[in-house]
Amino acid sequence: MPFEFVRRRKIWYTISLLVIIPGLISILLQGLNPGIDFTGGNVLEILFEKPVKLQEVRESLREFNLEGSWLQQSGSSDFIIRTPALSQKESDRVISGLEKKLGEMTVLRNDFVGPTIGRELTRNALLALFVAGLLMLGYITWRFEFKQGIAALLALLHDALVVVGIFSIFQIEVDSAFVAAILTILGYSINDTIVIFDRIRENMLNRKKGQAIEDIVNNSIHQTLARSINTALTVIFVLLALYVFGGSTIKNFILAMLIGVVSGAYSSIFGASQIWVDLKLREHGKKAMA
């Protein structure tokens, strides 16, 4: 007897809620940890020639009243410092002071983003998500049916909430690369869902008399399961390699992608088609009652 992906859908819905609800609570209570792309400020990445401790850098920043700045260590002597907006003169003073106290170093980057750019970026990010959602709904409705479009969008919303929620719980910095990761995740996840929907459509055309819709969808998921898992695993392997060897500047982007790809594979197999089944059964129930 094949494994039941559809008739056990309440279990999969419960697992999703157990992941999403803590994230939503975290978003309401503590929000996200926006990077300078959204808040404005300076981000300074420096590499000391000798090993330096995180506390030493923080103590050195105290001289400039920047001891409360966000500070991340990557490796034994590589640090990323995020400060409020600094003028060029102030920024030069900080760099000079750190070098004087902690030894020779190389400035890998020193970026400034104004708060106006941050507000514009936020607005454009939300607009991009809205437009992407509308285009996907339109395409899936044209290619399949409206209810499958709704099911696919709910599955994508699931993926986005999982990623955003985990970033909120662990207060991982959110920047413009995070927005790019969310859009990439939506594009990746919808591909797998479309493959399953396509197989469901083919099987619905050859539906036997009296065959339950749950069985058709379950068979369709089984027929595409190997492809879904293999595709997800190959992407995950690449992302894991990039996370380990890719450097600190892309770590958060890769982490968002990793969470999103895992969540997308889960929602494609355990979520989207099951939501469509519930929508179809609800439609049939209303017709039966009419």
Side-chain angles (χ1 to χ4, degrees):
M1 180 180 292
F3 183 80
E4 274 293 346
F5 287 102
V6 180
R7 287 194 168 85
R8 294 177 178 168
R9 57 188 179 276
K10 287 183 180 177
I11 297 175
W12 320 135
Y13 293 161
T14 303
I15 293 172
S16 292
L17 289 175
L18 288 175
V19 176
I20 290 173
I21 288 175
L24 289 176
I25 293 172
S26 175
I27 292 169
L28 289 173
L29 294 180
Q30 60 180 355
L32 293 168
N33 176 20
I36 64 166
D37 290 351
F38 294 98
T39 61
N42 283 62
V43 61
L44 179 66
E45 184 171 6
I46 50 179
L47 177 66
F48 291 98
E49 291 190 358
K50 65 178 183 179
V52 174
K53 293 181 180 177
L54 187 96
Q55 192 57 34
E56 292 179 299
V57 179
R58 192 172 295 285
E59 285 298 324
S60 300
L61 289 172
R62 187 182 300 280
E63 180 183 339
F64 310 98
N65 295 322
L66 296 174
E67 66 274 14
S69 301
W70 182 86
L71 186 57
Q72 180 184 18
Q73 183 171 8
S74 175
S76 61
S77 55
D78 188 353
F79 295 87
I80 299 175
I81 306 167
R82 194 183 75 200
T83 70
L86 302 173
S87 66
Q88 186 61 49
K89 189 176 178 181
E90 291 171 328
S91 177
D92 291 341
R93 281 183 58 230
V94 172
I95 292 170
S96 176
L98 289 174
E99 192 166 34
K100 187 177 177 182
K101 284 199 169 187
L102 302 174
E104 291 293 322
M105 66 182 195
T106 303
V107 179
L108 301 177
R109 62 170 166 147
N110 184 11
D111 298 330
F112 169 78
V113 178
T116 305
I117 295 176
R119 285 194 292 273
E120 185 177 341
L121 183 63
T122 304
R123 187 175 61 250
N124 288 342
L126 293 174
L127 181 62
L129 288 172
F130 179 72
V131 171
L134 278 183
L135 290 174
M136 287 179 186
L137 180 62
Y139 173 74
I140 296 171
T141 301
W142 169 70
R143 190 79 171 78
F144 301 99
E145 63 174 80
F146 179 69
K147 286 186 172 63
Q148 283 178 313
I150 295 294
L153 282 189
L154 288 175
L156 293 180
L157 181 63
H158 165 280
D159 301 337
L161 288 177
V162 168
V163 178
V164 174
I166 290 176
F167 267 62
S168 173
I169 290 171
F170 296 101
Q171 286 294 287
I172 304 169
E173 185 177 295
V174 172
D175 55 15
S176 56
F178 176 81
V179 177
I182 292 290
L183 289 170
T184 308
I185 290 162
L186 300 186
Y188 170 81
S189 181
I190 197 73
N191 278 337
D192 205 16
T193 302
I194 290 291
V195 170
I196 297 174
F197 281 176
D198 202 39
R199 185 56 58 92
I200 291 173
R201 184 180 58 177
E202 290 176 9
N203 290 336
M204 287 290 284
L205 292 174
N206 300 315
R207 183 180 185 181
K208 296 174 184 174
K209 189 176 181 182
Q211 189 175 14
I213 191 170
E214 289 100 327
D215 293 331
I216 296 172
V217 174
N218 202 53
N219 291 338
S220 302
I221 293 174
H222 274 281
Q223 290 164 6
T224 55
L225 188 61
R227 183 239 183 232
S228 299
I229 293 175
N230 290 338
T231 304
L233 283 178
T234 52
V235 177
I236 288 170
F237 292 153
V238 172
L239 291 173
L240 282 173
L242 282 172
Y243 186 78
V244 175
F245 302 109
S248 59
T249 54
I250 62 169
K251 270 192 184 299
N252 288 353
F253 172 79
I254 299 299
L255 180 61
M257 286 291 299
L258 261 174
I259 298 169
V261 168
V262 173
S263 175
Y266 178 85
S267 67
S268 295
I269 298 170
F270 296 94
S273 302
Q274 287 81 346
I275 293 171
W276 179 71
V277 167
D278 278 327
L279 292 174
K280 292 298 285 186
L281 291 177
R282 185 181 173 86
E283 174 189 318
H284 291 163
K286 283 183 178 178
K287 285 182 179 176
M289 290 173 65

